[in-house]
Amino acid sequence: MPQNRTILHVDLDAFFASIEQRDHPHLRGLPVIIGGKPDQRGVVSTCSYEARRFGVRSAMPLTEAYRRCPHGVFLPGDMAKYRAASRQVFAIFHRFTPAVEPISIDEAFLDLTGCTGLFGDPETIARKIKELIVKEVGITASAGIAHNKFLAKIASDLQKPDGLVWIKPEQVEEVLHPLPIERLWGVGPKTAAKLNNLGIRTIGDLARFDQQLLARALGAVTAQQLHQLANGIDQRPVLTQDEIKSMGHEHTFAEDTADLDQVLAVLLRLSEKVGRRLRREKLQGRTVALKLRYHDFTTLTRHASLREATSLDQDIYQASRKLLLKVYNGQPIRLIGVSVQNLSRGAIRQLSFLDDATHAKQKKMAQAMDQIKNRYGENSITYASGIDLISNRPDNEP
Amino acid sequence: MIIEVQRDIFLQMLQTVGHAIPLKPVMVALSGVLLQAENDHITLTSNNLEMSITVSGEAVVSEPGEAVIPAKILTEAVRRSPADKISLRHNPGRSSITFQSGSAQMEILTLPLEEFPEPPVYSLQHSYTLPQPLAKDMMRQVSFAISTEELRPVLTGAYWTFGEEDTRLTALDGFRLACRWSTYVTTDKPASAIVPGKAVRDLLRLLGDDGLLQVGIGDNYAAFDFSGIRLVTRLLEGNFPDINQFIPENYQTRIVVGADELWQAIERAALVCKDGQNGSVKLNINDDKIAVSAQSMELGRHYEEIPIQQTGEGLEIMFNIRSLIEVLRSAAAAEVTIDFHGSYGPCICRPVGQDDYFSLLMPVRLT
């Protein structure tokens, strides 16, 4: 890996809300909240900057959002439309470099190392990309430039919306150190509490902290990772689509649950989403991984190898269900995730002389469901047990 | 109960019954072995509810009796015992046995006798006898094709028939099929049974290289008697598919090839597959030679040619490496005839010079 990389992080501003404001001019300047009707159980998936002024945030329950912003415009959202816009944006990225790593529908890393000779310095490229997004898609984006992914992401967040920030190596300390430690990758509420106990509140505090003492509190591996990040060091490469190692979805329950039926329904819904994405990318995987987080944050992952690579919802669901039933200890579950790994294109299929009707039917069903979703949106069809789970909020992609 | 027994005999007996001790017992009693002593011999019995194994051996019995002893501890204690002789004394009052070997003494707590599973109740309507090595060969040649998927339970066993013309053992899992027959046993009282794969695999390990095997078949159970061992297994219920429907009549391509030669070429091809033997190999048959090739983006490519005798059309076909090796190995012959039925149809492999076996393998295809 080259020592001096140039990484660009692009994050679309209030993506879903911006698209609605683009298509419905009367919504411009109004607090727009995407996620559903305020009386529905569910959470905010995106809200416009106007809504953020009233304290509305992503992932906030809709009822709470309504309490804070009763005059807001609540919309269910239209994933098919957002996905189309997202594709336009990613096509723009690809005009500049093939090294695009999508993080989600509205966010990506671009490795610009080696592109600068072609298109000008990184700042020029970032400005061009932002202009093209405004011109061709009609929304704004925030961009961050740095010599690694972590800093690029921090940078894009510094001047939202419509921002452009370049963190140069000599500025790392000045920009990074005053930020709260929660901004570090991998620091959630639990780690943050531990760090606070050590008197660490900012990234700077952590960077200066004795690594051995840190290792005692967090374990050597985590300690080293966080210490490096705090010093602005991040070696992770930009992974393009072709190098995607796994594809997965996770779901955090609104309330921890020990209701196995509910968990299984979510598992099927997640399997459906993973299968859909695999098929869209023409990928198949041979390993299914289940991630389970209990109410006390104990987290475990289990893997199962399939006899053949698959992209079928039912194969993914059956394998992950088996794993779940094997490990589940009856405690309330906070989060469940399923992913498919060991991915390949053009998989090899073992032919059978027995009637393979089940598999053929499942394949046909997947094709039919995909066609319906392509035409009428992601929530137009699902399995019966997942019908209550349909929401416009995309489950978090880890 | 007070007995004295030779360590080696006792250890072998324990290892024999160990095949029916479950790794993760659903009830504690199943993890025990029943030891019964009378006259001048002892009998060990294990029973996992699907299968039970009984074995008898010589011992000095000073006081007859019976007890259920945790199999794992007893086996390990015998394996590690310092002297050639082992004496056991049952202490019913303390629910234990005293284990003595040389100066080593252990007291092992016993399991409740009344909780040990009752022996299966069965009546055997038919009985056949064949040499142990023949039975072993038959099982070795078909066991690889026994399915491990619970989707179709009958396929998780091997189908054993005793008929007027021969006895046959068949297994299939949807992409492989193997069938071995012998005219050693013929009968005017035909019978058949689907023997669970686990029993077949255990018998493969337990059968010896000489002596006879007696096979008893009842409605729900089969009993196998050999070398002082009795293995009784529950049979799988259901209808085993008629295999004739899977075997096409006329071949499009027939080759005769050295089994070892082809096998070794495939082993070499596996070296460049990312998944090793789980990968696939391409065979290209043309002009009296077979080209074996494999490749992966990560590791590289392999190519070699082997001379063959060919009849019929040329052909390109791909197989899973492990399955193809199993088919070649199971033929147990220097040369094999392989009939192909197109690139996506089955191939059928027979040993040259022995009309008692064939196996069928389906190819793989790129999707």
Side-chain angles (χ1 to χ4, degrees), chain A residues 19-297:
Chain A
I19 292 288
E20 295 302 339
Q21 290 176 326
R22 174 195 74 179
D23 293 351
H24 307 283
H26 68 276
L27 295 178
R28 290 178 197 162
L30 294 180
V32 175
I33 296 156
I34 313 283
K37 294 269 178 302
D39 52 345
Q40 278 175 345
R41 210 182 106 108
V43 293
V44 175
S45 78
T46 315
C47 58
S48 68
Y49 284 87
E50 294 83 358
R52 291 181 197 195
R53 245 172 262 139
F54 294 94
V56 179
R57 295 282 178 271
S58 293
M60 176 181 280
L62 284 167
T63 46
E64 173 68 17
Y66 183 72
R67 206 182 52 75
R68 295 190 184 200
C69 187
H71 58 293
V73 182
F74 287 81
L75 296 172
D78 179 349
M79 281 306 294
K81 188 160 77 177
Y82 306 150
R83 203 156 258 138
S86 172
R87 272 197 286 272
Q88 278 180 286
V89 172
F90 277 84
I92 294 171
F93 296 159
H94 279 279
R95 283 181 219 164
F96 292 86
T97 172
V100 178
E101 177 182 357
I103 305 176
S104 68
I105 192 168
D106 60 353
E107 212 183 320
F109 285 113
L110 284 69
D111 191 337
L112 300 182
T113 318
C115 302
T116 45
L118 224 53
F119 299 106
D121 68 275
E123 198 174 329
T124 312
I125 296 176
R127 210 171 290 286
K128 266 188 204 159
I129 288 176
K130 278 164 53 72
E131 282 167 16
L132 285 169
I133 295 174
V134 170
K135 203 171 121 201
E136 296 180 17
V137 191
I139 53 174
T140 61
S142 293
I145 306 165
H147 48 281
N148 63 43
K149 282 162 81 169
F150 167 58
L151 292 171
K153 191 170 161 83
I154 293 275
S156 73
D157 207 38
L158 290 175
Q159 275 183 18
K160 272 182 149 292
D162 202 14
L164 172 55
V165 176
W166 187 350
I167 303 181
K168 301 204 168 125
E170 62 273 17
Q171 301 169 317
V172 170
E173 227 171 275
E174 170 197 338
V175 178
L176 194 58
H177 283 190
L179 296 174
I181 42 159
E182 283 85 354
R183 294 289 291 278
L184 282 182
W185 240 319
V187 176
K190 212 178 161 194
T191 313
K194 278 189 196 163
L195 292 170
N196 286 339
N197 278 342
L198 297 172
I200 301 171
R201 284 177 205 285
T202 65
I203 293 176
D205 293 343
L206 184 62
R208 287 184 292 268
F209 202 79
D210 182 76
Q211 207 181 326
Q212 283 186 337
L213 284 177
L214 195 63
R216 220 172 286 167
L218 302 174
V221 178
T222 313
Q224 199 202 346
Q225 273 171 2
L226 291 186
H227 206 262
Q228 289 204 338
L229 285 180
N231 284 291
I233 301 167
D234 175 18
Q235 306 280 10
R236 290 169 308 163
V238 169
L239 295 175
T240 59
Q241 284 282 1
D242 287 339
E243 298 161 295
I244 288 177
K245 291 280 173 4
S246 79
M247 204 169 264
H249 280 276
E250 300 181 353
H251 178 90
T252 307
F253 289 96
E255 277 172 39
D256 299 348
T257 178
D259 176 355
L260 203 53
D261 287 340
Q262 191 194 347
V263 177
L264 286 173
V266 168
L267 197 60
L268 177 58
R269 179 80 178 140
L270 294 173
S271 303
E272 180 188 350
K273 291 188 171 197
V274 174
R276 166 100 167 119
R277 273 176 68 208
L278 286 170
R279 292 189 297 276
R280 192 196 301 262
E281 300 295 338
K282 302 199 169 27
L283 286 168
Q284 297 186 301
R286 268 199 63 195
T287 306
V288 172
L290 175 83
K291 178 171 169 185
L292 196 59
R293 178 169 294 150
Y294 289 111
H295 62 107
D296 61 355
F297 280 85

Side-chain angles (χ1 to χ4, degrees), chain B residues 4-37:
Chain B
E4 191 179 87
V5 60
Q6 292 290 331
R7 179 184 60 186
D8 294 348
I9 295 175
F10 200 33
L11 182 58
Q12 204 183 1
M13 290 171 69
L14 282 164
Q15 284 169 340
T16 298
V17 296
H19 286 280
I21 303 284
L23 282 174
K24 290 180 186 163
V26 285
M27 45 195 263
V28 183
L30 302 188
S31 63
V33 55
L34 172 65
L35 168 63
Q36 293 166 303

Side-chain angles (χ1 to χ4, degrees), chain B residues 286-305:
Chain B
N286 228 331
D287 295 338
D288 284 325
K289 58 182 194 291
I290 184 166
V292 178
S293 62
Q295 59 181 322
S296 65
M297 267 172 8
E298 294 82 357
L299 297 176
R301 51 179 73 230
H302 168 91
Y303 180 90
E304 72 180 277
E305 290 177 355

